[in-house]
Amino acid sequence: MDGTVLVADDDRTIRTVLTQALTRAGCKVHATSSLTTLMRWVGEGKGDLVISDVIMPDGNGLEMLPKIGQERPGLPVIVISAQNTIMTAIQAAEAEAYDYLPKPFDLPDLMKRAARALETKRRVGRPREVAPPTGGDTQDDLPLVGRTPQMQALYRLVARVMNADLPVLITGESGTGKSLIARAIHDFSDRRSLPFVIATAADMEGVDGPSALVARARGGSILFDEVADLTEEAQGRIVRMLDSFGDSAPRIMATSQTDLMGRMEAGQFRQDLFYRLGGVTVAVPSLRERVDDIPLLAEHFLGRSDRDGSATRRLAEDAMDLIRAYSWPGNVRQLEHTIRRLVVTSSEEVITRAEVEAVLGNQPEIEPLVGGGDGEKLSASVAKHLRRYFDLHGGVLPPPGLYARILREVEMPLIEIALDATGGNQAKCADLLGINRNTLRKKITDLDIRVTRRRKLM
């Protein structure tokens, strides 16, 4: 790489790591913990690339993007943020950031993106002002939080489609946040100042129902929530309504927790409506498909309870382990209700594992994704998840470094389970895995696996 990189982050460790990595790659680096200093450097004409955190002691990095665009059109900015929410990803896209990465980021991945930014001449133009959503939702109302690859891919897809003149079909299990995704697409789109209308079955009744619905939307967005539940007659009216659109047509979005293609093939959903709704399909992953986001979400809901006036609560380590291991058939909504109940029923600051067990003991579980009792081979199950991971990127290739990320996802549970099976004896564990003991120790360190006294699996 060749060029000067301006790094702005209030974490000294991150500044040091990025400075060392970029310097070794051949770049000159100026690092600061202040947005004021960063903007002074930009104004002085320094830098060929900016890498900036969002939350800084003296301001918000995203709010600086329009100013950077005014001062230095074409200067690429890579945003890094520990705020792993859909809001951050969409705001970064709105402000025309060159790229966005969640913390903790993969350093080799960031370096490759930095190299591309330095090599690619960015389109010159003034970034749009970042406007807050005008609907009733705020970041506190949107539990669309996650740093897993599945959620980051979802954020990027939503950011790309929010202003595309295409219908959007949002699929996923109940409780995953499909309607919240639809609302976010509207609230950050160019239609944000226009109505967001959730259509009901009653809206499609009568000859004048569809036209009245379109009049209410006034060119904004119409959401058909759980469109598969509509009668065939109502589906037909939607088709005719979509075919009659002229100028100033509203944006159409629909959600479904059922397999619409399967229902269409079974004759239970109109084919013509299926293809009219599926301009872009956004698949929202279930909570058990993004297990690493569960602690983040739990902390998010605990923090919300604090702001609601409840006493400060936190989960004991073994209580969090139990919450992470639960299957959550009701997804994010079930997790939120469970945390709220624990906050109310717990008498101490620390919520214990026993209290979590008491709450979850009255709730349903489902079989694990792998080894669900249907005789499916592990390779077939892994292939299914990999295909879904690629599908979540909406036709765009996943970030580089996929092989290492997948190996890490497999290695960590394999080593943890093997350690449990051998009672924590690393010599036996290494022999079981067929690797050298020193190799096992290195993997335990690299994967940040906690080595505690482990119970041997029966």
Side-chain angles (χ1 to χ4, degrees):
M1 284 192 289
D2 184 27
T4 301
V5 182
L6 308 181
V7 175
D9 198 296
D10 61 342
D11 188 318
R12 178 180 297 178
T13 301
I14 290 179
R15 294 199 306 271
T16 301
V17 168
L18 288 179
T19 298
Q20 291 176 348
L22 290 164
T23 301
R24 285 197 301 266
C27 296
K28 296 180 180 179
V29 182
H30 298 285
T32 179
S33 61
S34 165
L35 284 177
T36 302
T37 301
L38 172 66
M39 294 307 298
R40 175 168 58 81
W41 288 342
V42 170
E44 293 172 353
K46 295 179 179 178
D48 303 298
L49 168 66
V50 174
I51 300 176
S52 176
D53 193 7
V54 174
I55 302 301
M56 299 281 282
D58 56 346
N60 185 299
L62 286 176
E63 295 175 358
M64 293 297 106
L65 289 178
K67 297 179 181 179
I68 292 174
Q70 293 170 1
E71 290 274 350
R72 299 272 301 281
L75 177 64
V77 180
I78 296 177
V79 175
I80 53 176
S81 175
Q83 289 191 314
N84 301 304
T85 71
I86 194 169
M87 295 294 192
T88 308
I90 290 178
Q91 287 178 319
E94 274 278 276
E96 296 190 355
Y98 179 85
D99 214 335
Y100 159 74
L101 281 172
K103 291 182 179 179
F105 53 81
D106 180 69
L107 183 58
D109 184 27
L110 175 58
M111 294 297 291
K112 290 177 182 177
R113 293 169 189 254
R116 286 198 297 269
L118 289 169
E119 294 169 1
T120 304
K121 184 178 181 180
R122 186 166 182 245
R123 175 173 55 86
V124 177
R126 177 177 175 177
R128 290 174 291 180
E129 295 293 329
V130 180
T134 56
D137 294 324
T138 66
Q139 182 172 317
D140 289 340
D141 298 320
L142 285 174
L144 300 173
V145 178
R147 62 167 61 97
T148 55
Q150 295 94 324
M151 288 305 289
Q152 294 303 317
L154 174 66
Y155 296 165
R156 289 190 175 93
L157 177 58
V158 168
R160 288 197 299 270
V161 306
M162 62 186 177
N163 284 316
D165 191 19
L166 290 169
V168 178
L169 175 62
I170 306 169
T171 64
E173 296 179 6
S174 176
T176 52
K178 299 184 296 297
S179 59
L180 298 177
I181 292 285
R183 184 79 210 208
I185 290 174
H186 172 82
D187 284 348
F188 281 87
S189 72
D190 293 338
R191 302 174 191 260
R192 60 173 66 94
S193 61
L194 299 171
F196 177 81
V197 179
I198 300 177
T200 65
D203 290 321
M204 304 314 297
E205 294 177 355
V207 177
D208 297 329
S211 59
L213 179 64
V214 173
R216 283 167 54 202
R218 300 199 313 275
S221 300
I222 297 177
L223 172 65
F224 292 98
D225 203 11
E226 295 304 330
V227 67
D229 294 340
L230 295 175
T231 65
E232 185 175 356
E233 183 180 3
Q235 294 174 29
R237 285 179 175 157
I238 295 176
V239 171
R240 291 189 289 276
M241 179 187 76
L242 298 179
D243 289 344
S244 66
F245 280 168
D247 296 336
S248 301
R251 177 131 194 215
I252 299 298
M253 292 185 278
T255 68
S256 178
Q257 62 179 301
T258 62
D259 179 9
L260 280 188
M261 180 173 289
R263 296 197 63 168
M264 178 190 70
E265 292 172 348
Q268 299 172 344
F269 194 82
R270 290 181 62 119
Q271 185 181 55
D272 49 3
L273 179 56
F274 176 81
Y275 289 113
R276 282 168 172 80
L277 292 177
V280 177
T281 299
V282 177
V284 186
S286 65
L287 196 51
R288 62 187 177 279
E289 291 177 278
R290 52 184 188 109
V291 174
D292 289 341
D293 283 334
I294 292 176
L296 189 67
L297 282 160
E299 295 294 343
H300 175 86
F301 293 132
L302 284 170
R304 177 182 293 181
S305 297
D306 291 345
R307 292 193 295 274
D308 289 343
S310 304
T312 301
R313 295 284 192 274
R314 62 184 177 86
L315 288 158
E317 186 174 332
D318 57 351
M320 182 67 84
D321 290 341
L322 181 58
I323 283 178
R324 193 178 188 277
Y326 186 72
S327 60
W328 299 109
N331 291 295
V332 179
R333 185 180 296 121
Q334 183 190 8
L335 174 61
E336 179 181 17
H337 291 169
T338 298
I339 295 297
R340 289 172 62 184
R341 180 174 173 182
L342 286 167
V343 167
V344 171
T345 59
S346 177
S347 58
E348 303 295 333
E349 177 184 344
V350 179
I351 299 172
T352 66
R353 181 185 178 94
E355 289 172 316
V356 174
E357 287 176 340
V359 171
L360 294 183
N362 296 322
Q363 300 191 42
E365 277 200 86
I366 60 175
E367 292 180 335
L369 277 177
V370 178
D374 57 1
E376 182 179 53
K377 291 184 177 180
L378 177 61
S379 60
S381 181
V382 170
K384 184 186 300 181
H385 291 292
L386 288 175
R387 279 194 293 269
R388 181 171 179 81
Y389 176 70
F390 274 81
D391 290 343
L392 285 170
H393 285 76
V396 178
L397 289 176
L402 177 61
Y403 185 79
R405 289 199 302 276
I406 295 300
L407 281 184
R408 181 184 178 90
E409 290 288 327
V410 174
E411 276 189 316
M412 181 176 290
L414 174 60
I415 293 174
E416 288 179 334
I417 292 170
L419 283 168
D420 278 330
T422 56
N425 187 312
Q426 294 187 24
K428 290 183 179 180
C429 182
D431 185 60
L432 174 66
L433 295 172
I435 61 177
N436 183 276
R437 187 175 178 181
N438 290 332
T439 301
L440 175 62
R441 286 175 174 170
K442 185 176 187 303
K443 287 184 178 296
I444 289 173
T445 301
D446 292 344
L447 296 171
D448 195 25
I449 294 174
R450 284 185 317 209
V451 179
T452 58
R453 185 178 179 181
R454 295 172 178 267
R455 174 178 59 84
K456 187 173 182 179
L457 299 176
M458 301 302 292

